[in-house]
Amino acid sequence: MDNYLRAVELDPNNPEPYVLLAQLYASWARPQDALSTYQAAVKAAPASGLSHTSLGNAYRQRGEYEEAIAAWERAHELDPTFPTVARNLGLAYVNKRRDLEAGMRAYELAFSLDPTDARVLYELDQLAKKLGRPPQVRLDFLDANRHLVHQRDDLTVERVHLLNLLGRHEEALAILEQRTFHPWEGGEGKVTGQYVAALLALARQRLDAGEAREAIQLLRRALVYPENLGEGKLVIAQENDVLYYLGLATAALGQDEEARRLFRQASEGSVGPVSPLYYNDQPPEMIFYQGLAYRALGDEAQAKTIFTKLIDYGRTHLDDEMVMDYFAVSLPDFLVFEQDLDERNRVHCHFMMALGYLGLGDAQSAGEQFARVLALAPDHLGATTYQRLMVDRPGARSVS
């Protein structure tokens, strides 16, 4: 520390010794001394972007966000070419001021100042998602920076998600098959989810074309996760959707006994809807396919009971106030930006109601609920898929 103090004495207008000394204080858990030294750096070099940037960082660590924003804004005025300051402001505008448009402008500036930063590209795309930018617009931007997308698994899976969303399933599957993914915080279930989604969509196409054997091959692949996806299957993994379509394809080949076995498997599981907070919670689609499986087995009463439960849950819980468990694990996203859990819940409830109405054959009500989902979350793959299909073969031939 003596060397830093001596450096300050020798060159009192140079902010760097102050900043280094403040960092030393911070490492010693002396936050007030650190803050005072950062403030001294600003006083010694008021025209230095470094001093204001460092002071803003110190305020952020103390949870004094307005003071942090003011310091970063001053740093940006003094040095508008520093991308990290623009990124810091983008995060603060979104998470602390709830000003998404200001945050987007700051992030776009940060990326323009350093177009080689793949992390900022990822965060910029996440903000575009949060703002509800159309999927095609997001995909075009990622494709224009594909060399950066390739650097990150999270960016790659976002691009795959957008391809699936836009119906480009073969392209999505090809990327998933060719890349070796690695686990990351908040990525649980994302890669494997897109893998299954792509195969399901392609299998539906084969079924529509009368190619049941080809559909079965695709669906069986969906039951096994290749090692390159970087994630194994959970013991509690629910595959009602895959099993249901296997039942349909098998029935199309006239193998009624095997189809009945598959439909029975597809009907198994809890029929109690749950909240949307964690990635390993039961997806509402699995309950929907349980209902379709009961219908295929000839138990229309049970099918209607299940579809009605989805609608009732959505209506009852639409306005719930959601609270994240302090000890929560398996969150569905790495939280770059703070999320509106109540809005996430509304999306979830509208989607549940849409599936329930779809199962009951009420296409108008289903369509209205899907539209509400997509108004809040244009990148919702389930709503996009079922809105496109509208009726997902609920009238399958009974094999009971």
Side-chain angles (χ1 to χ4, degrees):
M1 186 173 73
D2 291 341
N3 290 334
Y4 292 128
L5 290 171
R6 189 175 301 112
V8 168
E9 292 174 0
L10 292 173
D11 192 0
N13 295 321
N14 182 358
E16 291 187 16
Y18 291 96
V19 170
L20 292 172
L21 180 59
Q23 290 172 347
L24 187 62
Y25 283 135
S27 71
W28 290 347
R30 293 168 59 178
Q32 190 55 51
D33 288 333
L35 179 62
S36 298
T37 306
Y38 283 126
Q39 290 170 334
V42 169
K43 185 176 181 180
S48 166
L50 172 64
S51 61
H52 290 278
T53 299
S54 301
L55 179 60
N57 295 343
Y59 279 129
R60 177 189 58 192
Q61 291 171 353
R62 294 166 61 89
E64 299 176 26
Y65 296 108
E66 283 303 316
E67 290 81 356
I69 290 172
W72 288 329
E73 287 178 338
R74 180 58 180 153
H76 179 66
E77 291 173 1
L78 294 167
D79 182 5
T81 66
F82 190 24
T84 302
V85 171
R87 175 186 175 270
N88 289 352
L89 285 169
L91 275 169
Y93 289 150
V94 174
N95 287 339
K96 302 308 171 185
R97 288 188 175 174
R98 302 293 188 268
D99 190 340
L100 273 61
E101 292 294 346
M104 176 57 79
R105 289 192 295 272
Y107 259 100
E108 289 174 337
L109 175 61
F111 188 64
S112 71
L113 292 171
D114 183 4
T116 68
D117 193 328
R119 181 183 70 167
V120 170
L121 176 61
Y122 172 72
E123 294 173 356
L124 180 56
D125 178 65
Q126 292 298 293
L127 184 51
K129 179 198 297 189
K130 192 175 180 69
L131 278 163
R133 298 286 168 84
Q136 186 64 61
V137 171
R138 289 177 56 207
L139 180 62
D140 290 344
F141 186 65
L142 292 183
D143 283 349
N145 296 279
R146 189 136 359 142
H147 60 294
L148 297 180
V149 173
H150 290 326
Q151 295 179 18
R152 296 181 63 105
D153 284 347
D154 49 11
L155 266 174
T156 298
V157 81
E158 284 295 338
R159 182 167 180 268
V160 168
H161 173 81
L162 291 167
L163 289 170
N164 271 329
L165 200 63
L166 295 166
R168 295 163 58 178
H169 309 296
E170 291 182 351
E171 293 177 63
L173 186 60
I175 294 170
L176 293 168
E177 291 175 331
Q178 293 166 10
R179 184 184 180 93
T180 297
F181 291 85
H182 305 85
W184 75 91
E185 183 68 26
E188 297 89 345
K190 287 191 173 182
V191 179
T192 54
Q194 293 303 316
Y195 178 74
V196 172
L199 287 168
L200 274 174
L202 293 171
R204 276 194 293 263
Q205 292 175 7
R206 299 282 72 78
L207 278 171
D208 289 343
E211 300 170 0
R213 295 185 190 280
E214 291 78 1
I216 288 173
Q217 291 177 1
L218 291 164
L219 292 163
R220 285 176 177 166
R221 288 171 60 190
L223 295 173
V224 180
Y225 297 169
E227 187 174 345
N228 71 291
L229 300 184
E231 184 175 356
K233 188 188 299 185
L234 293 176
V235 174
I236 60 173
Q238 295 155 306
E239 299 171 312
N240 306 74
D241 47 359
V242 179
L243 293 167
Y244 172 73
Y245 282 114
L246 276 170
L248 286 183
T250 303
L253 295 176
Q255 301 173 12
D256 285 1
E257 186 62 31
E258 176 64 7
R260 188 158 47 246
R261 183 187 71 80
L262 289 163
F263 285 135
R264 281 198 296 268
Q265 281 187 272
S267 70
E268 294 174 358
S270 171
V271 296
V274 295
S275 69
L277 291 183
Y278 311 114
Y279 94 96
N280 55 359
D281 287 335
Q282 175 168 252
E285 298 97 310
M286 300 304 113
I287 301 173
F288 173 67
Y289 282 107
Q290 288 175 39
L292 295 186
Y294 275 112
R295 174 171 288 157
L297 290 167
D299 191 342
E300 183 64 20
Q302 181 62 13
K304 288 183 176 179
T305 296
I306 289 173
F307 298 139
T308 301
K309 280 186 177 182
L310 287 170
I311 297 170
D312 290 344
Y313 182 96
R315 286 175 175 166
T316 301
H317 295 280
L318 183 62
D319 296 318
D320 283 359
E321 294 184 5
M322 307 301 292
V323 178
M324 188 71 73
D325 187 343
Y326 179 78
F327 295 103
V329 296
S330 303
L331 297 177
D333 291 295
F334 175 68
L335 303 181
V336 176
F337 302 108
E338 295 175 7
Q339 295 186 326
D340 185 338
L341 297 181
D342 293 344
E343 182 174 292
R344 178 189 282 270
N345 177 66
R346 288 192 292 275
V347 168
H348 186 69
C349 288
H350 284 303
F351 184 53
M352 281 195 175
M353 288 189 281
L355 292 175
Y357 286 125
L358 184 60
L360 293 177
D362 186 345
Q364 180 176 345
S365 295
E368 290 171 356
Q369 294 300 323
F370 284 137
R372 291 179 181 178
V373 171
L374 293 171
L376 293 169
D379 70 323
H380 195 289
L381 183 57
T384 300
T385 298
Y386 297 119
Q387 187 186 58
R388 189 178 293 143
L389 298 173
M390 276 311 297
V391 178
D392 201 352
R393 301 176 181 83
R397 176 172 66 90
S398 171
V399 293
S400 58

